[in-house]
Amino acid sequence: GLDLTKEIHYFHGSDEEENSFEIKVTKSPNGKDETRVYAATDIKKGDYIMASDLAASFTVSDESLDNLKKNAEIVGTGRLTVIEDLLEYIDRHGHRSVASGSSTNYVEV
């Protein structure tokens, strides 16, 4: 288990007072959007960063979701149960990142 004497730092979306982090979207030198995460508070050695989120979720990009949906719709392949079940699970247990401009989806396990 976690060492309960250490602080656990989280990102709580729009609740800036509760956040240990801030997210900024900037332009790279080649003009593409870049999402950056900065500590909004001092994080000491040994503290935990979003421990429960990392242990109990996975990420999937919008592009990957679109590809899975397209694969499930290919005519003549029959029912693709594994892909359809995964998409249903993601729909039920997933949520989009709260970071503006992000194409990442988090799925709770």
Side-chain angles (χ1 to χ4, degrees):
L2 298 178
D3 179 349
L4 299 179
T5 65
K6 302 297 182 183
E7 191 171 350
I8 301 174
H9 299 274
Y10 285 102
F11 181 75
H12 298 279
S14 61
D15 189 352
E16 292 182 21
E17 289 188 23
E18 291 290 320
N19 286 332
S20 295
F21 306 95
E22 61 180 298
I23 296 176
K24 294 182 181 179
V25 178
T26 61
K27 292 282 185 196
S28 70
N30 63 5
K32 292 186 178 184
D33 284 343
E34 291 182 345
T35 303
R36 297 177 181 218
V37 178
Y38 298 92
T41 186
D42 288 336
I43 299 174
K44 297 178 185 83
K45 183 177 181 177
D47 283 356
Y48 297 99
I49 298 173
M50 299 180 68
S52 63
D53 293 291
L54 295 175
S57 64
F58 66 90
T59 62
V60 61
S61 69
D62 286 343
E63 182 180 9
S64 292
L65 277 176
D66 290 342
N67 286 335
L68 286 168
K69 289 173 186 173
K70 288 175 186 171
N71 285 334
E73 295 170 355
I74 295 174
V75 177
T77 59
R79 187 163 186 268
L80 300 172
T81 306
V82 173
I83 294 175
E84 290 169 357
D85 288 349
L86 176 61
L87 287 169
E88 184 178 322
Y89 186 88
I90 292 169
D91 188 51
R92 252 187 295 160
H93 301 284
H95 60 87
R96 295 193 51 72
S97 170
V98 295
S100 177
S102 174
S103 64
T104 301
N105 301 277
Y106 294 92
V107 183
E108 307 302 323
V109 178

